[in-house]
Amino acid sequence: MSKNEIDVVTAEFFAAFDNRGGRAADVARIRRLVLPGGVIVKTGPEFTAYTVEEFIEPRERLLAEGRLVEFSEWETSERTEIAGDIASRFGEYRKSGTLDGEPFEGGGTKTIQFVRTPQGWRISAFAWYDHP
């Protein structure tokens, strides 16, 4: 059962950024999926560590103001290990959209740490690496 619940949280996480077909991205749902003190890290040339709010705010703007449209990202493979009330997921993902009028596609790797809370599985940390 835990793996199914983690799959659902992961799918909700990826869906938070989807604004295809004119729908509004629901980036605010990250506040429910990630613990308030969660750690979010982007690796690569612009290494950045974010709080939940620091992560959400610029993405909400980018997805709502029309600069990034028809955007979605999705997991293409994953492996999840669960030990009691903690879990770790390592997965590959793809993304596509149109940024400032230019179509793009890309992908990378995400690692997501989960903990079981009284409200169910939540993300305690995640990090990603975009393939060059």
Side-chain angles (χ1 to χ4, degrees):
M1 183 62 178
S2 291
K3 173 68 165 64
N4 290 343
E5 293 169 13
I6 288 168
D7 288 345
V8 167
V9 171
T10 302
E12 279 193 65
F13 174 81
F14 278 98
F17 307 98
D18 192 326
N19 70 354
R20 291 174 296 173
R23 87 169 55 98
D26 183 16
V27 183
R29 83 171 65 172
I30 300 299
R31 290 183 184 98
R32 179 175 49 81
L33 300 174
V34 180
L35 296 176
V39 177
I40 302 165
V41 177
K42 177 181 191 267
T43 66
E46 318 84 46
F47 178 91
T48 311
Y50 301 94
T51 65
V52 173
E53 290 305 315
E54 288 168 343
F55 177 78
I56 290 172
E57 194 273 330
R59 284 157 184 81
E60 277 184 324
R61 258 187 299 121
L62 183 65
L63 289 159
E65 292 177 352
R67 285 190 56 219
L68 180 57
V69 296
E70 294 303 312
F71 182 77
S72 66
E73 61 179 16
W74 60 97
E75 199 172 48
T76 58
S77 67
E78 59 82 16
R79 66 182 184 277
T80 302
E81 292 186 27
I82 302 167
D85 291 336
I86 62 173
S88 182
R89 187 176 188 109
F90 201 82
E92 299 293 312
Y93 69 96
R94 299 285 305 156
K95 60 185 176 179
S96 69
T98 301
L99 178 61
D100 296 329
E102 294 294 320
F104 75 91
E105 288 189 22
T109 304
K110 277 189 172 53
T111 179
I112 307 173
Q113 308 307 308
F114 295 88
V115 293
R116 191 188 331 249
T117 73
Q119 295 76 38
W121 287 96
R122 295 294 181 266
I123 297 168
S124 59
F126 70 89
W128 79 97
Y129 165 74
D130 281 331
H131 298 161

